[in-house]
Amino acid sequence: MYIGRANSIKLGIFGMILLSNLQLAVWAVPYTLSVTNGSQSGSYESGSGLNIWADPGARGAIFDHWTGDVSALDDVNAAHTTLIMPSANVNLTATYKATDSWIPTDVIAYFPATVDGVIFMFHGTGGGAATLIGDAETQFFIKTALTHNYGVIALTSTDRVNKQWDTSSPAASNPDMQNVAAVRNFYISRGQISATDKVFVFGVSNGSNFSSMLAQAAPSLGFTVSATNLNIDPGDGATMAVTHVPTIWTVAQHDSQIMVSQAQNNYSNFINNGGIGQFHINVPTPVYPLRFWRIPYLTDLDSQAIYTSLKVAGYLDVNDYLTIDPLLTTAWEKVIPSTYTSNISDIQSQLNICFTEHTVFSDFTNVVLDFFNQPTTLISNAPTVTSFSPTHAKVGATITLTGTNFTGITSVTFGGVVAPLSSVTFVSSSSIKVPVPVGAVSGVIKVANSVGTATSSSAFVVDAPIITSFSPASAAIGANVTITGTYLLNATSVKFGNNVAVLTSNSDTSIRTTVPVGTTSGPITITTASGTGVSSTAFVVALPPTLASFSPTSGAIGTVVTIIGSHFIGATAVTIAGKAMPFTVNDDTAISATIPPGAGTGTIKVTTPGGSVVSATRFTVTP
C-alpha cells in the first residue's frame, strides 16, 4: 500500500509536469499583426503590449483614425497608441484626411490689412525661412514692405541637407518651384491673397540665383513675376541673358563670395537686351557708435560698448572704417565683451554690412520697393567728377574726389594709371577717397562705372621730389652729403651723375648719403614712386690736391707765398709746420698764403675736400 501510494504520487507529479508543458506550448503560439500605413507589423504572443505608430502621411495628408481590428487599440483616433495582442491575428489600417501641402515651419507669411502684391523671399545656402526673417536687416525690409501693402512669404528649400534651392531641374520637376506655386495657391484659397495680386521675388545669395530662374519659369507654373530683387548674387547668367522680368541688383562692394563684376556684366547684358533694371552697390561705411542699436534687444549703451571694444582693439581706423574683413578674419570676436556673446552673429552681420561683405543689407529697401511699384531703368547714373582735393600730391597721398553717381565704381585712373579698386574708400555716392597709385603721372583723373566714365576738368599734378640744396657742395669720394628738399620720402634711387649712392637716412625733407665711387662732377638726382627730381646746381667731386712748388722758398713773417698745384678749389686749410696760414684760393691751381706770426721753418700743407697734400721741401722762415 505504501509503495503504491508512493507511485501514485510520482505519477501525479509527472502528469502535472506534462500538463504544464502542454499549456506552455499553447501560450507560445504567435499571432500576426498587420499594420497598413504604420509600424510594428510582425508576429507576437497573446498578451504582448505594443506601441503602434501611423506613418506621417504624404504631403497634403494628415492622420485621421485607425480602421480594422481596432478593439485591441487604446485610442482609435491617435496616430500613436498602444495595443494588447489578443489571441488572434490583427489587421489595422491608418487612414488620412487632406490638409495643408507643406510642413508649417517651411513657410512664414505676413499680410497687411490690404494686400497690393506679394513678395516671395528665398534664403541663402545653409539657411531657412526662420533664419532669413530672423535677421535684423531682413526684418527692416519686411516691416517696410508691409507698410507699402506688400504681403511677404518666406519659404525654406526642400533640400534639407545642403539647404540650397534647386537650380538644375526644369520647372515641371523642380520641387522648389512647384512648392512656390502650391504655397501661392494655398493662400489664394484662404483668401489672404488673390489670383490677381502681383508677385515679386526677393532672393539672397543662392536664393537670388533661384529667384532669377523662377521669375523666368513662373508662367509655366500658372503666374507671372512682376519684378525681381537679386541680393549679393549676380543671378543665373544664362537666364539673365534671355529674361525680360524687371530686375534690380543690390550687391556688396567687397563681397568675397561673389564676383561683383559678374553681377555688373549680367546687368549690362540684361539692359542691352531691352530689360528694365537697376544696379546698386552697397559701399563701405563707418562703424558709428550706435550701429548695433538696430540689433533686437540691444540698447544704445550696449551699442556704444561694442563699438568701443572694436575701436580700442584697433579694428577701426581714425574715420571708424573697419581695418579688417570681419567675415574672413574673426579675431575681432575675442574683444567683444562677454555680455554680448549671444549677439556675435548679429554683430558680425552689421560689421559685414559696414565692410560690404557677403551679407543681406537693407540700405536699398525703399529703392527696391519703389522699383517693385514701378520698374524703371536708371539711364543717367554715369559718374561725374566735379572736383578733387588736394590738386597736387605725391604717390600714396589720399585724394578726395567729389562728384555724382560714384556707386558701382569699376576704375579710377590718374593720368591713365589705374588705382587698385581695393584701395578706394567709398564715403558716399558723391564722394570717394583714393590714394595716388604707384607710377601715376600728372594728368586728368577718370572715374568709371558700368554705365560710363567721368573725366576731371583739370589735371592732377603728381608731386615729384624737389632738391633745394645739398651740403657740402663739393666733397671727395666716400664723403657724407646731406640733400634737402621736399617729397623725398621713400626714395628709390639717389644718383651723383650716373653713379648710384647708398642712403643712410631718408625723410620727406632730407636724405643723407655718401659720394659713390666713380662719381664725376654734375647734378644730383633723386627718384621716388612719384618721379625724379634734379638739383639745379652741380655737385663738385673734390679730387685729391697736388702741390708742385711754392715761391719764394724762404722769407720773414708776413711773406706771401704762392703755392702751385692742382684741385685747390674748396681748400679748407693751409699750414706751415702745423701753424695755420691765412690764404686765398686764386684758382684750382694756385693759392696765395701768408707766413703767420710765430711760424717756424717747415713743410707747407694744403687741405681740400679731396684730401691733403704736403710739400716735398721746407719753407725757411728768416729773422
Side-chain angles (χ1 to χ4, degrees):
M1 290 294 292
Y2 180 79
I3 294 175
R5 182 174 173 79
N7 287 339
S8 174
I9 293 172
K10 289 180 180 179
L11 288 172
I13 294 173
F14 180 72
M16 290 174 65
I17 293 173
L18 288 177
L19 179 59
S20 176
N21 288 339
L22 287 173
Q23 288 176 335
L24 288 175
V26 172
W27 294 341
V29 173
Y31 293 96
T32 300
L33 171 64
S34 298
V35 182
T36 302
N37 299 332
S39 65
Q40 299 291 68
S41 291
S43 297
Y44 303 94
E45 295 177 10
S46 174
S48 298
L50 303 172
N51 283 286
I52 307 298
W53 286 271
D55 289 345
R59 269 183 179 255
I62 191 170
F63 173 82
D64 184 27
H65 65 279
W66 295 98
T67 60
D69 304 318
V70 299
S71 60
L73 291 178
D74 182 57
D75 187 347
V76 70
N77 295 313
H80 170 216
T81 186
T82 58
L83 174 148
I84 303 300
M85 193 69 187
S87 300
N89 294 331
V90 175
N91 292 292
L92 296 171
T93 298
T95 62
Y96 299 84
K97 284 184 177 181
T99 185
D100 298 345
S101 60
W102 70 90
I103 302 171
T105 55
D106 285 352
V107 179
I108 301 175
Y110 301 95
F111 300 98
T114 301
V115 176
D116 293 334
V118 59
I119 302 173
F120 281 88
M121 304 182 71
F122 306 107
H123 61 80
T125 298
T131 57
L132 179 61
I133 69 166
D135 179 82
E137 297 296 304
T138 311
Q139 287 180 18
F140 182 84
F141 177 87
I142 292 173
K143 291 176 182 178
T144 307
L146 292 173
T147 65
H148 284 65
N149 292 333
Y150 288 104
V152 175
I153 302 174
L155 288 81
T156 300
S157 62
T158 56
D159 174 3
R160 298 310 174 86
V161 178
N162 299 310
K163 299 181 180 180
Q164 289 188 324
W165 300 92
D166 188 337
T167 57
S168 61
S169 304
S173 58
N174 187 304
D176 288 320
M177 292 188 185
Q178 292 296 323
N179 197 36
V180 172
V183 170
R184 174 176 175 270
N185 290 335
F186 171 79
Y187 282 114
I188 291 173
S189 68
R190 284 192 170 185
Q192 290 175 285
I193 62 175
S194 72
T196 58
D197 284 335
K198 290 183 177 180
V199 174
F200 305 90
V201 291
F202 172 105
V204 177
S205 192
N206 168 249
S208 288
N209 204 341
F210 174 74
S211 293
S212 62
M213 302 177 72
L214 170 68
Q216 177 68 6
S220 67
L221 300 169
F223 62 96
T224 60
V225 171
S226 296
T228 304
N229 178 205
L230 306 182
N231 289 274
I232 56 175
D233 190 87
D236 179 67
T239 300
M240 300 316 302
V242 297
T243 188
H244 284 88
V245 177
T247 303
I248 181 171
W249 281 260
T250 48
V251 299
Q253 183 68 41
H254 292 157
D255 194 330
S256 62
Q257 296 189 32
I258 70 162
M259 293 294 292
V260 174
S261 59
Q262 182 59 52
Q264 291 172 322
N265 289 338
N266 284 356
Y267 164 72
S268 297
N269 292 337
F270 177 73
I271 295 298
N272 291 337
N273 288 336
I276 298 175
Q278 293 182 18
F279 188 90
H280 300 276
I281 294 185
N282 192 31
V283 300
T285 55
V287 182
Y288 52 85
L290 297 182
R291 176 74 204 194
F292 309 102
W293 198 1
R294 65 200 296 134
I295 297 175
Y297 308 114
L298 291 189
T299 67
D300 55 340
L301 296 179
D302 292 327
S303 182
Q304 292 181 49
I306 296 169
Y307 161 84
T308 300
S309 68
L310 294 167
K311 186 74 170 181
V312 172
Y315 291 115
L316 306 179
D317 66 15
V318 294
N319 296 313
D320 287 343
Y321 285 90
L322 280 159
T323 58
I324 47 91
D325 184 333
L327 185 64
L328 303 183
T329 304
T330 57
W332 60 267
E333 295 179 6
K334 296 179 181 179
V335 307
I336 302 297
S338 59
T339 305
Y340 309 108
T341 300
S342 62
N343 303 110
I344 287 294
S345 178
D346 288 327
I347 293 171
Q348 177 161 36
S349 292
Q350 295 305 313
L351 294 179
N352 287 346
I353 293 166
C354 292
F355 189 81
T356 65
E357 249 295 0
H358 191 74
T359 300
V360 64
F361 50 90
S362 62
D363 297 59
F364 297 105
T365 289
N366 287 312
V367 173
V368 170
L369 294 177
D370 287 344
F371 183 83
F372 282 178
N373 182 56
Q374 187 174 355
T376 56
T377 297
L378 296 179
I379 58 176
S380 60
N381 59 349
T384 64
V385 176
T386 56
S387 64
F388 53 85
S389 178
T391 57
H392 64 90
K394 63 182 180 180
V395 168
T398 298
I399 310 302
T400 300
L401 278 67
T402 303
T404 61
N405 299 320
F406 284 162
T407 298
I409 294 301
T410 56
S411 69
V412 180
T413 59
F414 289 74
V417 178
V418 178
L421 198 58
S422 59
S423 70
V424 178
T425 299
F426 292 82
V427 179
S428 69
S429 62
S430 60
S431 178
I432 57 175
K433 295 180 181 294
V434 190
V436 180
V438 175
V441 296
S442 297
V444 296
I445 300 176
K446 292 186 176 182
V447 179
N449 65 11
S450 59
V451 179
T453 300
T455 303
S456 63
S457 59
S458 59
F460 172 81
V461 177
V462 177
D463 287 328
I466 299 173
I467 300 174
T468 55
S469 65
F470 50 85
S471 179
S474 177
I477 302 298
N480 292 325
V481 176
T482 299
I483 306 168
T484 57
T486 54
Y487 311 122
L488 306 182
L489 188 62
N490 297 323
T492 56
S493 171
V494 176
K495 291 183 178 180
F496 289 72
N498 292 321
N499 297 282
V500 178
V502 176
L503 280 69
T504 56
S505 67
N506 183 196
S507 71
D508 204 46
T509 58
S510 177
I511 288 177
R512 286 179 58 84
T513 185
T514 55
V515 180
V517 175
T519 295
T520 58
S521 297
I524 297 175
T525 59
I526 297 177
T527 300
T528 69
S530 298
T532 299
V534 182
S535 64
S536 59
T537 59
F539 173 82
V540 177
V541 176
L543 298 176
T546 64
L547 199 161
S549 64
F550 53 84
S551 176
T553 58
S554 63
I557 300 300
T559 300
V560 176
V561 180
T562 300
I563 306 168
I564 304 300
S566 65
H567 311 311
F568 288 159
I569 297 296
T572 57
V574 178
T575 62
I576 179 170
K579 191 171 183 61
M581 301 172 67
F583 68 95
T584 300
V585 177
N586 301 325
D587 56 35
D588 201 47
T589 61
I591 293 176
S592 295
T594 303
I595 301 301
T601 299
T603 57
I604 296 174
K605 180 181 179 181
V606 177
T607 300
T608 73
S612 299
V613 63
V614 179
S615 64
T617 60
R618 299 194 304 168
F619 177 89
T620 301
V621 178
T622 61

